[in-house]
Amino acid sequence: MASSLVFVSRPSFPREQFLSLLDLAVTEQLVPEGLELTVKTNEERLVTKVELRNGTREELQQLATEFIDRHVESRILNYSDVCVAVVPEEITSAPQLLLLMDVDSTLIKQEVIELLAAHAGREKEVAAVTEAAMRGELDFAQSLIQRVATLKDLPDSVLAEVGERIIFSDGAPSLVRRFHAAGHKVAVVSGGFQQILDPLATTLNLDHALANTLGITDGVLDGTVHGEIVDRAMKETKLRTWSEEHQIPLNATIAAGDGANDLDMVCAAGLGIAFNAKPALREKADVRLDFSRLDVIADLVLDDLN
């Protein structure tokens, strides 16, 4: 089966450098000679797609990774300059895709638990636990219980206050719009909190949105999580459940996240994306995206640019 080799630059990356990179890809036989390479522009990003028919996806991905690593080592590039991905035909030719994303530090710029903890004067303590959990050094469920306990006795009004401070990642609304315009499904699954997620899901018109539920008693956070905790295993389960619900094959799914808690869904998806991710995820994902435009995901898999 054919795969697409996709190059997407960060915003405002010099066109001359991008063209030089494509020339190197031809010279070093990552891209076959004689092909006419078209460069499209989107939001100051440069996008080129090349259809490759020789080599397996794994072989092509290894070659692409080595190509980028080599030129970062030689200081021609930084990882934050260009995203290079091998996108399988099962993704590019699928009649419908399912995109599943993490929320904190992926769909949005913040970690909600840290915003809530700031109201309790425990922000630094909670941030340290969050970082360790996202690196995979702590069990996520236990770390969540530990962090939520610090919120005990906060008035539930803090949820609305924190909700007003949420900032979508650059390009997040555009990403969802482009996927929906192409007839695809977009969902999120989060180790954060349903009470914060629901308004965001409504704003973006998401097809599915699941997170943990904070316990509230008499208008006060009781320091507990109600129901089954949304951990890395649950995230993969929802990827499979929602793809089956929409009759979308697993190889036509895309999953994106930033931490160890996203590892199972990213590895299970047809295309797994590490978005400005911790090493535990970055080393396992199919795609390494190291600059802050989330809608690069649409550049990689959709054919909607002029």
Side-chain angles (χ1 to χ4, degrees), residues 7-26 37 39 46-48 67-68 71-72 74-82 84:
F7 297 78
V8 184
S9 79
R10 63 168 168 78
S12 302
F13 187 66
R15 188 181 184 89
E16 296 77 11
Q17 279 186 254
F18 189 75
L19 294 175
S20 294
L21 183 67
L22 296 180
D23 287 342
L24 283 171
V26 174
L37 302 182
V39 179
L46 303 171
V47 183
T48 289
F67 174 79
I68 292 298
H71 293 299
V72 168
S74 66
R75 300 187 179 179
I76 291 175
L77 282 176
N78 294 312
Y79 287 115
S80 58
D81 286 332
V82 178
V84 178

Side-chain angles (χ1 to χ4, degrees), residues 37-99:
L37 302 182
T38 301
V39 179
K40 297 183 179 181
T41 304
N42 181 39
E43 297 286 346
E44 298 187 311
R45 299 189 300 273
L46 303 171
V47 183
T48 289
K49 298 186 178 184
V50 184
E51 188 176 282
L52 302 177
R53 294 198 169 272
N54 295 324
T56 67
R57 175 188 177 183
E58 291 74 19
E59 290 168 342
L60 294 171
Q61 196 161 296
Q62 180 66 26
L63 290 172
T65 299
E66 291 172 354
F67 174 79
I68 292 298
D69 287 346
R70 187 162 58 247
H71 293 299
V72 168
E73 256 184 58
S74 66
R75 300 187 179 179
I76 291 175
L77 282 176
N78 294 312
Y79 287 115
S80 58
D81 286 332
V82 178
C83 175
V84 178
V86 176
V87 182
E89 190 172 7
E90 292 89 343
I91 294 283
T92 57
S93 65
Q96 190 171 54
L97 300 170
L98 169 65
L99 169 62

